[in-house]
Amino acid sequence: MKAFVFGGALRELRSMVAAFSVMTIVIAVCLAMSPYPAKAHTSQQHFTVGMNGPTSTIILGQFLQRLVTPHAINVPADLINIPNDAFEDVFNTAGPGYTPDTVWYRAAFTVLDTDQGGQEKSYIEMGQPYLNDIKLAIVKEDTRAVIWRDRVGDRLPKGNDDVRGLLHLSEWPELLPGDYWLTIAIKTNSAHIFQAQLVPETEQIANIGRNSFPKGIYLGILMVAFGVYLTLGVLSSDKAVTWYSAYIFSLFLINFGVSGYAHFLFTDLWYLTSDFLTGTGTAFAIATSVTMWSYIIELDRHNRWLHRVMTTFSFLAGLGFLTATTDAYIIFAKLFFIPDVILLSTLLIYLVYLGIRQKKVLEHSFLMVALGVPTMAVIAHLLLLVGVIPVNAVTTSIYSASSVVHLTMIAIAMGLRTYKLSHRRMNAAASNQRASQLAGEQRAFITMLSHEFRTPLAIIQRSSEILGLHLSSEQDAVHSRLGTIRNNASQLSGLVDAFLTKDTLDSATFTTTREPVAIDAFLADLIARRHREVPGQNVNLINSEFAIVDIDRILLERAIVNLIENARKYAPGAAVWIACNRSANGYVYIRVVDEGPGIAAEDISNVLNAFYRGREAAKTQGVGLGLHLTRRIVEAHDGSLSVNVGEKGGTTILIKLPFNKDATVLKTNDVLLRVMGGSRRKPSNRETDE
């Protein structure tokens, strides 16, 4: 048996390994499809341009050198005088990551004595769009004089004459032939990933059209997906789907900022828009991805402690949006990026564990690929951002490529999840309909049975009474037997009435037939009839105030009699007193109090439920419907019922019913006028004649 279990676990493990292999292949395909640089790195230390710029695009990363220093460099010429060994090449090397220091770049170039670009303008196109402050300068090699300056960045307000694009643009100046240096100083609170190219105007315009179309399509897909899954999540009350929609929205914010659209469209409204959206989207993506996956693998059900860790981290990470436009974002990134990788890896491992334990190989393998691909891509992307792996076309595009795979696979998973949810809802609706049908059939059966029982019971009771009259001269034993027949028939008739009344009260079509009744007279008449019917029971009306109450006389009488019968059964021989008081809040309060042993504390919360009988109920006959029916009758009169037990025993049932204020006041005034009119002395004939 153990060998069989071990063999099954081994097969599950092999399946998981196969899933990992598939995931690795998918990632390799994504990397293979990523575009590499168009030009290889050469030993050339400078680039050449015409007096108006280049004739074709020049990727400046192949020529730039980088220097990260906390020391101030006051003039660009000072940067040129620094030795080469203090710099590092930009091409295919890791960036400085998150740093508050200024990052300097320099590149030598030569302007040829030809107009290679004709009259066409050229531009330096620089990214990423979230870079805060970019200072550019061109220095003459021989004189060290600065002959051109410019400044761009997403924290700088745009002027009306500034060149605009999806990336930062600076118009290349017209230069005389000679040797020059291009210097660039960058300061940002975001990840320092800098790419630049020198582009003729026609190619720059073509690049905008070529790059903006797929970016716009992708943003549109994200917004549509966000709306669809948010609606599905709200309608289905499924937390995984809802958090997935929030994750899609965070991706939209990131891509809206990184694509350059935010910088291009909203700089005039708020020049920090790009910075804010990129930072906020990143914080929300960290938060929502962890929480979303926690709910997808149902971590809240399998491991609540780990789920709390995930949600706490997500909450704190989400607060990172507060730092998006400040230098504190650097601290946020250093504190949360690596833990995010650790938690996503933990979720991936836990997903493997659940797949083996629950033996859901296909489902968990699919989810593992959907989580594993972006997790590995996130690891690579975060290592890129913090300056561990080099910046190139592959490392900068891996996250976007994996996001497409991730969104596609999760969309399939969410589609299957919503299908299952809708299927379960349909089954639940069918079950509810069947339950309602069975309940209706049960009520109809009880009603039929109750009516069928009433006729023979009435015949038995009536026959026993007639026999008693005809056999009046017989011995006491005969009359005793007849009395037993009548009593048992009466008891059975009471049970039938109780079930019939419950069925009527529980019916959706139940209505009361109300009429205005003086509550004091109603209670006095009920107690008087009770004394005639059950002479031995000590029931008294000790206080009753006048009020006109709209009631169904038959039902309310049944409710009061149920309370008196309960007192008779559970407190035989004990006194029962009834009081009725009128309150200024528009209600009358009817108290039915017995002086018996009371109700046990553990039973007090359940005695109003149908068919519930307490511990002491075994000593008495009944089915546990009396108090339940009384409460239903009172509620049908827009009132309420409560049960209380005194410190020294005894039970108090309090009935609260609304009374008709206008009718009560009018009736009270009529009575007072009659009393006052009757007390006046009538004048004599003599007084009348006078």
Side-chain angles (χ1 to χ4, degrees), residues 288-344:
T288 55
S289 61
V290 172
T291 306
M292 172 190 71
W293 275 107
S294 295
Y295 281 114
I296 287 178
I297 67 176
E298 298 180 338
L299 194 63
D300 55 325
R301 188 164 59 89
H302 298 298
N303 192 325
R304 293 188 176 181
W305 179 85
L306 186 57
H307 177 70
R308 291 193 192 100
V309 172
M310 298 291 177
T311 52
T312 301
F313 172 82
S314 297
F315 174 76
L316 295 176
L319 296 178
F321 84 95
L322 298 173
T323 67
T325 58
T326 67
D327 290 341
Y329 185 77
I330 297 174
I331 301 174
F332 162 76
K334 291 180 177 180
L335 288 177
F336 284 90
F337 279 16
I338 299 302
D340 179 49
V341 173
I342 295 173
L343 291 182
L344 286 176

Side-chain angles (χ1 to χ4, degrees), residues 434-489:
R434 179 58 180 163
S436 300
Q437 181 182 354
L438 290 175
E441 292 175 356
Q442 183 183 27
R443 284 196 297 269
F445 174 74
I446 291 175
T447 302
M448 181 270 294
L449 202 60
S450 300
H451 283 294
E452 291 297 324
F453 275 140
R454 275 186 166 182
T455 300
L457 286 172
I459 293 172
I460 292 172
Q461 285 182 293
R462 185 60 181 163
S463 297
S464 63
E465 292 172 0
I466 294 173
L467 283 174
L469 293 175
H470 285 291
L471 301 175
S472 57
S473 59
E474 294 294 329
Q475 299 177 359
D476 292 340
V478 174
H479 290 285
S480 176
R481 298 292 190 278
L482 291 174
T484 301
I485 292 172
R486 283 195 300 270
N487 289 337
N488 282 276

Side-chain angles (χ1 to χ4, degrees), residues 172-296:
W172 184 260
E174 184 177 349
L175 299 172
L176 296 175
D179 295 324
Y180 298 86
W181 287 89
L182 170 66
T183 66
I184 304 173
I186 299 177
K187 193 172 181 62
T188 184
N189 69 331
S190 301
H192 194 99
I193 300 177
F194 178 66
Q195 296 171 310
Q197 56 186 7
L198 191 57
V199 190
E201 185 175 30
T202 53
E203 290 191 22
Q204 195 270 330
I205 295 174
N207 289 339
I208 292 178
R210 184 168 52 250
N211 294 331
S212 63
F213 180 73
K215 290 179 180 178
I217 292 294
Y218 186 54
L219 289 173
I221 292 173
L222 289 176
M223 278 305 296
V224 172
F226 164 68
V228 169
Y229 284 108
L230 178 62
T231 303
L232 288 175
V234 172
L235 292 179
S236 63
S237 300
D238 188 277
K239 293 182 180 179
V241 179
T242 304
W243 279 103
Y244 178 59
S245 70
Y247 174 70
I248 292 177
F249 182 69
S250 68
L251 291 182
F252 171 81
L253 294 180
I254 293 175
N255 283 275
F256 196 55
V258 173
S259 65
Y261 278 109
H263 175 70
F264 180 74
L265 297 173
F266 298 110
T267 300
D268 293 336
L269 297 176
W270 188 34
Y271 61 89
L272 297 177
T273 300
S274 177
D275 218 23
F276 177 76
L277 291 181
T278 304
T280 299
T282 303
F284 286 176
I286 293 174
T288 55
S289 61
V290 172
T291 306
M292 172 190 71
W293 275 107
S294 295
Y295 281 114
I296 287 178

